[in-house]
Amino acid sequence: MKNYSHRSRTLITGGAGFLGSHLSERLLKDGQDIICLDNFFTGTKDNIASLLNHPQFELMRHDVTFPLYVEVDEIYNLACPASPIHYQFDPVQTTKTSVHGAINMLGLAKRTKAKIFQASTSEVYGDPEIHPQPESYWGKVNPIGTRSCYDEGKRCAETLFFDYRRQHNLSIKVARIFNTYGPRMHPNDGRVVSNFIVQALRNEPITLYGDGTQTRSFCYVDDLIEGFVRLMHSDEAITGPVNLGNPSEFTMLELAEKILNLTGSKSKPIYKPLPQDDPRQRQPDITLAKKELGWTPKVSLEDGLKETIAYFRKLLNG
Ligand code: NAD
Ligand code: UDP
């Protein structure tokens, strides 16, 4: 259907979640009309409370596993629970969300000739044999484990995106997202950044799994969203998959120390067993994103943590 407005009509699935709410905010600032779609499984209206009265913002309660008929120019497909606690709650629904959700959104993109972005994940690399992982690495994924509903669901979604491009010439953009943090993360999703901050603010013990020498790289949400927008607006020939994440690596001990300093907490670390299959190291290779999108993360861990701590402080006091 013809768009009589000069503004781009953008659908964000999973728009009331952590990343979706930041993306909604950013695209409204850029002057786009937003349809924010969510079934509120892990997302909340609180995340988008400040946007609800914006004239260019529309909230829609819908589950992506069911067909959707709207007229749009661009689709960001983010709907899917992202942390193990959430995606293992109903694993069959998690796979349906990734696979049926992708089919429905790709079908919508085909009918409306919309450009479509997929929020894929570093988990498509599984338990990788090479570090850091370039996009050309095919991964090492267990197809029948308890994480498979997420990992294989996201892998199948990538397959669907590339088959829709080959078969129907769709304009696709696939981002492989690495650990991201920031305000509006879930306080109870078990991720290390939210766990440590909540524990520090409550002066409770900081739970270090293993000896705390395993490393991770954390990307601040604003940097990631800039990467999303650059990828969406890149040349038609750029489809991804492209890694988006921050390559600066820290041990969990260093992370705990930083959070204790920034919160002024009296918490002390306690050591707990390392979960099964916990990777020693995870770091994105962002050579491709630098080259094709001119993108590098800018926010330091310290600055990003300050913003995140301020958010959780308010949440816990509120
Ligand atoms: P989130 O849980 O905060 O957001 C996901 C949103 O999708 C929620 O609002 C949830 O209610 C919604 N949703 C779930 N199932 C749905 C369904 N069937 N229909 C409609 N809405 C549904 O998680 P997030 O961190 O914002 O992640 C967003 C996307 O980015 C996900 O696809 C995730 O896999 C991907 N990702 C995130 C990270 C990260 O570090 N945050 C890393 C890799 C990939
Ligand atoms: N971790 C920890 N304490 C916690 C939560 C996590 O030491 O309270 C560790 C976990 O074992 C892992 C790292 O922090 O080595 C990152 O965990 P997270 O679940 O945030 O992300 P992922 O393992 O998916 O990268």
Side-chain angles (χ1 to χ4, degrees):
M1 187 191 285
K2 186 167 167 33
N3 181 3
Y4 286 98
S5 163
H6 60 282
R7 293 191 296 264
S8 175
R9 298 162 304 186
T10 303
L11 170 68
I12 303 176
T13 76
F18 163 46
L19 299 180
S21 62
H22 285 274
L23 181 63
S24 297
E25 222 167 58
R26 163 66 191 265
L27 296 183
L28 279 176
K29 274 195 195 122
D30 290 351
Q32 303 193 11
D33 278 342
I34 304 299
I35 301 176
C36 170
L37 177 154
D38 212 292
N39 71 348
F40 300 111
F41 173 50
T42 51
T44 65
K45 276 193 190 166
D46 290 342
N47 284 343
I48 43 160
S50 65
L51 311 180
L52 288 172
N53 290 327
H54 195 296
Q56 282 160 239
F57 183 81
E58 187 181 340
L59 178 62
M60 192 178 210
R61 184 187 287 266
H62 181 82
D63 186 318
V64 287
T65 62
F66 294 94
L68 174 74
Y69 291 86
V70 290
E71 307 308 317
V72 285
D73 305 299
E74 291 180 0
I75 302 168
Y76 286 86
N77 188 34
L78 271 56
C80 188
S83 77
I85 289 181
H86 293 140
Y87 69 63
Q88 286 167 354
F89 175 76
D90 185 348
V92 173
Q93 174 68 9
T94 299
T95 304
K96 277 190 191 169
T97 294
S98 276
V99 177
H100 293 190
I103 291 171
N104 288 330
M105 292 309 111
L106 286 161
L108 174 65
K110 185 178 153 209
R111 181 179 64 77
T112 57
K113 299 189 172 51
K115 196 165 22 167
I116 181 163
F117 171 105
Q118 169 67 357
S120 191
T121 169
S122 55
E123 300 294 327
V124 299
Y125 299 122
D127 187 9
E129 297 124 315
I130 51 168
H131 290 284
Q133 298 91 41
E135 292 81 350
S136 53
Y137 176 58
W138 290 353
K140 180 170 167 261
V141 176
N142 175 359
I144 56 168
T146 54
R147 300 174 78 108
S148 312
C149 59
Y150 184 71
D151 302 4
E152 295 289 21
K154 288 286 187 178
R155 285 171 68 94
C156 183
E158 286 199 11
T159 308
L160 285 161
F161 268 68
F162 281 85
D163 278 334
Y164 266 80
R165 174 152 184 98
R166 283 184 285 262
Q167 210 172 323
H168 302 295
N169 205 25
L170 244 63
S171 191
I172 62 160
K173 307 283 177 188
V174 177
R176 289 185 181 155
I177 305 163
F178 284 67
N179 295 42
T180 301
Y181 71 103
R184 301 192 210 117
M185 287 183 90
H186 302 263
N188 304 321
D189 69 359
R191 309 310 291 270
V192 69
V193 175
S194 43
N195 268 12
F196 284 4
I197 293 179
V198 170
Q199 290 161 350
L201 291 175
R202 290 184 173 148
N203 291 310
E204 288 170 358
I206 304 284
T207 52
L208 273 163
Y209 300 162
D211 61 3
T213 58
Q214 70 272 36
T215 65
R216 290 292 185 277
S217 339
F218 301 104
C219 186
Y220 187 63
V221 61
D222 288 358
D223 280 332
L224 185 79
I225 298 300
E226 177 63 28
F228 281 16
V229 173
R230 284 186 188 217
L231 177 57
M232 189 60 134
H233 296 140
S234 59
D235 288 349
E236 166 66 24
I238 297 177
T239 56
V242 57
N243 290 339
L244 295 178
N246 190 326
S248 316
E249 227 178 316
F250 296 89
T251 66
M252 295 309 99
L253 269 168
E254 286 169 327
L255 178 71
E257 225 163 78
K258 266 191 200 300
I259 290 175
L260 287 174
N261 283 338
L262 291 170
T263 51
S265 168
K266 298 189 197 66
S267 298
K268 297 268 176 287
I270 53 162
Y271 290 86
K272 298 216 162 187
L274 198 64
Q276 209 188 349
D277 298 334
D278 199 83
R280 283 293 308 157
Q281 180 192 23
R282 187 181 294 130
Q283 189 200 29
D285 177 338
I286 58 164
T287 313
L288 192 66
K290 279 185 186 161
K291 184 170 150 253
E292 291 195 333
L293 312 176
W295 177 83
T296 41
K298 302 259 182 312
V299 182
S300 68
L301 183 62
E302 182 146 334
D303 287 347
L305 284 176
K306 281 184 191 158
E307 296 290 327
T308 314
I309 289 167
Y311 166 77
F312 277 111
R313 213 184 273 284
K314 222 167 135 192
L315 189 78
L316 298 182
N317 290 337

